[in-house]
Amino acid sequence: MSEIVKRYTREGVTVVWKPDVCIHSTICFKGLPRVFNPNKRPWINMDGSELEKIKQQVANCPSGAISIESNQETSVETASNNLVEVILNGPLCVHGSLKVKHADGTEEEKSTKTFFCRCGQSSRKPYCDGAHKKVDFVG
């Protein structure tokens, strides 16, 4: 199964959206509703705000489902330092670039933020899908 990836570009800045990664936190559209509107198609309107505001809002995405590509490069902008954050009653959040090696030996490059399941209930293990909220995970 191939991963769905959508790109929305303006003036050399591209917002990349990976719907399979989204945990529906609503942070994107609550923070910048003129750009991110799930009730419209396409749901990302690159003309809805200044590019710097769009970049700032994308950086707030907790799952990394939306990210930024600049100057038509294929690499995604990433933080220069890695940080592992334990989210109270939620997942582990790894900030920065990393390589994930799965049990079957396949490897995957991740950047910006990656959320790993701690509750054991995610249908997307090792990644978080928000299931901790449904099972009232405490930890």
Side-chain angles (χ1 to χ4, degrees), residues 19-129:
D20 294 339
V21 176
C22 187
I23 61 171
H24 307 290
S25 69
T26 71
I27 289 172
C28 56
F29 69 85
K30 286 182 179 174
L32 206 54
R34 292 184 312 167
V35 174
F36 304 100
N37 186 338
N39 296 318
K40 291 191 176 181
R41 296 295 176 261
W43 82 281
I44 296 177
N45 173 16
M46 292 295 286
D47 295 322
S49 187
E50 300 166 16
L51 288 176
E52 283 308 310
K53 287 184 179 180
I54 293 172
K55 288 180 181 180
Q56 289 170 356
Q57 191 60 36
V58 167
N60 293 326
C61 178
S63 67
I66 52 176
S67 59
I68 296 287
E69 287 180 350
S70 291
N71 302 324
Q72 306 304 322
E73 296 173 3
T74 57
S75 64
V76 177
E77 292 180 0
T78 61
S80 59
N81 295 318
N82 289 340
L83 168 72
V84 177
E85 176 184 5
V86 178
I87 298 176
L88 182 64
N89 303 327
L92 286 178
C93 177
V94 179
H95 301 260
S97 298
L98 64 134
K99 185 182 289 187
V100 178
K101 185 173 184 177
H102 296 277
D104 66 3
T106 59
E107 293 183 356
E108 180 176 17
E109 298 283 335
K110 293 290 191 176
S111 61
T112 311
K113 296 179 188 175
T114 305
F115 289 79
F116 292 97
C117 177
R118 286 198 307 142
C119 73
Q121 301 302 309
S122 174
S123 63
R124 295 184 55 243
K125 288 183 200 116
Y127 308 111
C128 175
D129 69 357

